[in-house]
Amino acid sequence: EVQVVESGGTLVQPGGSLRLSCAASGFTFSDYYMDWVRQAPGKGLEWLGRVRNKPNSYTTEYAASVIGRFTISRDDSQRSLFLQMNSLKSEDTAVYYCIRVSGQKHSRAFDIWGQGTMVTVSS
Amino acid sequence: AIQMTQSPSSLSASVGDRVTITCRASQGIRNDLGWYQQKPGKAPKVLIYATSTLQSGVPSRFSGSGSGTDFTLTISSLQPEDFATYYCLQDYDYPLTFGQGTKVDIK
C-alpha cells in the first residue's frame, strides 16, 4: 500500500523546538518531491514547504511564515521526510500533514496525504 | 504571494443538485490549479489537478475548468458523500497557496 505516516506531534512550550517525521512506504520515495501542509484547529490549509528529489539537488522552498524557523529535509535511504521546527509560537498549533507530490511542472498533484500529526504549542 | 479567493465560503445544497465553486487567483497561474476535498477529521484528498485532470478513482461527476485567473469546480449531481469542504491550490509559483475553503452542507 502506498502511504505516508507522520509522527512526532506533541505538546511543546512556546519558543521550543520539535522535529516531525514522515515514513513513506509502497513507492519509490527518492523519486518524489515531498511537501508539508498544516491546518490550525477549525481553519483552512496552509502550505509550509517542499523538498525536491536528488536529481533536483534536494532544494527546498518555504512559506514566508516559516522561513528561518522551519527546515525540511529528507533521508532517501530511510524513506523518510522531516520537518524541524524551531522558535515555536502558539500560532504554529496545528495538524501537520506530510504529502507526496506527483507529476511534473504544470501537472502536479498532492496525491498521497498522511493522516496528520497534531502539534500544540502552549505553556 | 499569489492570493486565492474562493467563493462561496459555504453553501447548502440538496442531493442531486449541480454545485459550482469558483477560485480566483490574484495573478495569472496558467492551468496550475488543483481541487481538494476534505471531510471532518480526515486528510484532504485530491480531486482534480492541472485545472481539469481528474485524479484516478475520482467520480466523473466532478469536473474542473478555467485558465489564467478564474477557475471552477463543478459537481454535476451532488451525492451524500460529497458533503465536505473543498479547497483550491495554486502550484504555479512559490509559495503555493490554498483558497480559504468552501464548505458544502446539506440543505
Side-chain angles (χ1 to χ4, degrees):
Chain A
E1 180 186 5
V2 174
Q3 64 176 359
V4 294
V5 179
E6 305 93 338
S7 61
T10 190
L11 172 64
V12 60
Q13 292 191 336
S17 297
L18 193 62
R19 189 194 200 204
L20 304 183
S21 299
C22 169
S25 59
F27 63 98
T28 305
F29 178 74
S30 59
D31 285 348
Y32 291 85
Y33 292 7
M34 297 295 295
D35 285 20
W36 288 97
V37 164
R38 70 182 177 186
Q39 186 170 38
K43 303 297 185 182
L45 302 170
E46 181 186 12
W47 179 81
L48 298 179
R50 168 170 293 172
V51 60
R52 296 181 179 88
N53 53 13
K54 184 176 181 180
N56 290 280
S57 304
Y58 297 126
T59 52
T60 54
E61 305 286 347
Y62 294 97
S65 60
V66 303
I67 287 175
R69 298 192 303 127
F70 290 11
T71 302
I72 299 173
S73 61
R74 62 192 294 164
D75 183 340
D76 289 349
S77 68
Q78 297 295 318
R79 306 167 63 86
S80 293
L81 176 72
F82 304 103
L83 180 64
Q84 177 67 43
M85 303 185 291
N86 299 329
S87 304
L88 283 161
K89 310 173 185 179
S90 58
E91 51 263 43
D92 295 318
T93 294
V95 174
Y96 286 72
Y97 293 103
C98 164
I99 299 159
R100 185 181 86 167
V101 182
S102 67
Q104 304 299 316
K105 181 65 174 172
H106 305 308
S107 188
R108 288 211 179 103
F110 287 9
D111 68 336
I112 303 296
W113 295 63
Q115 84 288 351
T117 189
M118 182 70 203
V119 174
T120 302
V121 184
S122 175
S123 55
Chain B
I2 298 173
Q3 306 296 321
M4 304 302 295
T5 303
Q6 263 183 259
S7 61
S9 56
S10 65
L11 66 90
S12 295
S14 300
V15 172
D17 283 354
R18 182 180 181 90
V19 169
T20 299
I21 299 168
T22 64
C23 200
R24 173 164 288 176
S26 59
Q27 64 184 75
I29 59 170
R30 291 186 45 163
N31 71 330
D32 295 345
L33 185 106
W35 291 97
Y36 294 80
Q37 177 195 65
Q38 186 179 34
K39 296 181 179 179
K42 300 294 187 182
K45 62 173 273 192
V46 59
L47 300 175
I48 287 168
Y49 61 96
T51 297
S52 59
T53 303
L54 199 66
Q55 175 71 0
S56 176
V58 174
S60 59
R61 62 180 179 273
F62 291 94
S63 64
S65 63
S67 66
T69 60
D70 294 308
F71 301 86
T72 299
L73 172 69
T74 300
I75 310 172
S76 61
S77 178
L78 198 66
Q79 298 301 301
E81 60 268 31
D82 301 336
F83 292 97
T85 300
Y86 295 84
Y87 295 92
C88 63
L89 166 69
Q90 70 81 17
D91 62 343
Y92 174 75
D93 194 17
Y94 297 104
L96 307 191
T97 44
F98 287 93
Q100 78 275 21
T102 297
K103 185 176 181 180
V104 177
D105 61 23
I106 302 172
K107 181 184 274 186

